[in-house]
Amino acid sequence: MAAPAPKPPAFAMCGACHKVDQGAPHGLGPNLWAIGGKVSGTTPGFKYSPALTKAKIKWDRASLINFITNPRAAVPGNRMAYAGLKDKAKAAAVADYLMSLK
């Protein structure tokens, strides 16, 4: 198993609410360890918004970039209080980091 990619500086804002360590408890947002390949709203032990649960997004690089860039447009009605990371290169770096967590 390869080591996770280095955490990009742009993840600092995400880290205020999301944990990324295997087995870590959820924070204000769900733990994002091994998020790649999962379906939105399915991580056990976290109470997701109905919108995110109903979205049934399979988290891959493209869907993560889309969500990170503009979560309100990607999943209208989700509870995440974050307007999005408009810099696509930084959003891609965060998505690549998240995809490496396995």
Side-chain angles (χ1 to χ4, degrees):
M1 174 170 30
K7 191 180 291 184
F11 187 80
M13 180 76 77
C14 311
C17 296
H18 294 280
K19 306 275 194 265
V20 292
D21 298 313
Q22 185 175 18
H26 298 298
L28 286 176
N31 183 333
L32 300 176
W33 175 261
I35 194 73
K38 288 185 179 175
V39 174
S40 64
T42 62
T43 300
F46 187 79
K47 184 169 174 50
Y48 289 92
S49 65
L52 202 52
T53 302
K54 289 178 189 171
K56 303 282 188 232
I57 298 168
K58 184 173 181 187
W59 296 119
D60 59 16
R61 185 176 191 269
S63 62
L64 284 167
I65 292 169
N66 185 50
F67 190 79
I68 293 163
T69 302
N70 192 342
R72 293 179 186 147
V75 182
N78 81 75
R79 289 192 304 245
M80 192 162 80
Y82 179 63
L85 180 58
K86 303 308 178 202
D87 183 318
K88 296 262 186 183
K90 290 180 180 179
V94 171
D96 290 340
Y97 168 67
L98 293 174
M99 291 299 294
S100 79
L101 301 174
K102 21 184 156 180

